[in-house]
Amino acid sequence: MVEQRHNLSTVKLNTPVSTEDLEKLEIGNVVYLDGTIMTGREGVYQRLLVDGMAPPDDLGRIANVNFHCSPAASVNDDGTFNVGAVTATASFRFAKWLPQWFEMSGCRMIIGKGGMSEAHYRDIFVPAKAVYLTTVGYGTGALLGRGIVGVEAAHWLDDLGIAQAMWVFKVKDFGPLLVESDLAGNSLFETNNRAINAQIEK
């Protein structure tokens, strides 16, 4: 379900996100998420895609939104968790895993920092009918952390550590996030770069 929020450029999505949700997104939209998201980066990708380990649960059932991040988290004596800031990490480092990841997980949305190349969007994201959302600027980890209202699971925490474990977060008003790539593979950053370069040449 898509709910317009404040103005036409700001969108609130419920997870799991649907194709209809993603079709309505345009590059530059500001997105807030409600629902469940999971983290996953090289430790998770290596374990599932290279080492061939079984996922801890049906990945499509867990979430179809994958956040490339390192949480500032701690474990309480009773086994519950405290999560403060969640700092996004640069997604281009994980590009080699994403074709397999999309196929295995059914993921439809990647959240990270800095975006990826237009070739990645065209060759990897478009066939998977997936989009990329980027965090807004630096130092927003604490702001994003406020949107985490609970921890549903922390898979492989003892083996992989806090940064690399697969965290499953319950979120509310999680954002702001910018739509960097849409379903057609258009890139906000590259579109603006071309416009700026054209003006410089003039």
Side-chain angles (χ1 to χ4, degrees), residues 94-150:
F94 314 131
K96 66 180 181 180
W97 284 293
L98 290 183
Q100 282 181 276
W101 175 249
F102 283 135
E103 183 177 355
M104 167 184 276
S105 67
C107 179
R108 302 296 303 281
M109 178 181 286
I110 297 286
I111 303 168
K113 180 176 71 177
M116 304 183 77
S117 72
E118 284 189 313
H120 289 141
Y121 296 142
R122 180 186 66 243
D123 299 337
I124 302 173
F125 281 70
V126 170
K129 297 182 180 178
V131 301
Y132 185 91
L133 272 57
T134 184
T135 53
V136 181
Y138 291 90
T140 57
L143 178 62
L144 292 174
R146 294 175 195 163
I148 297 175
V149 296

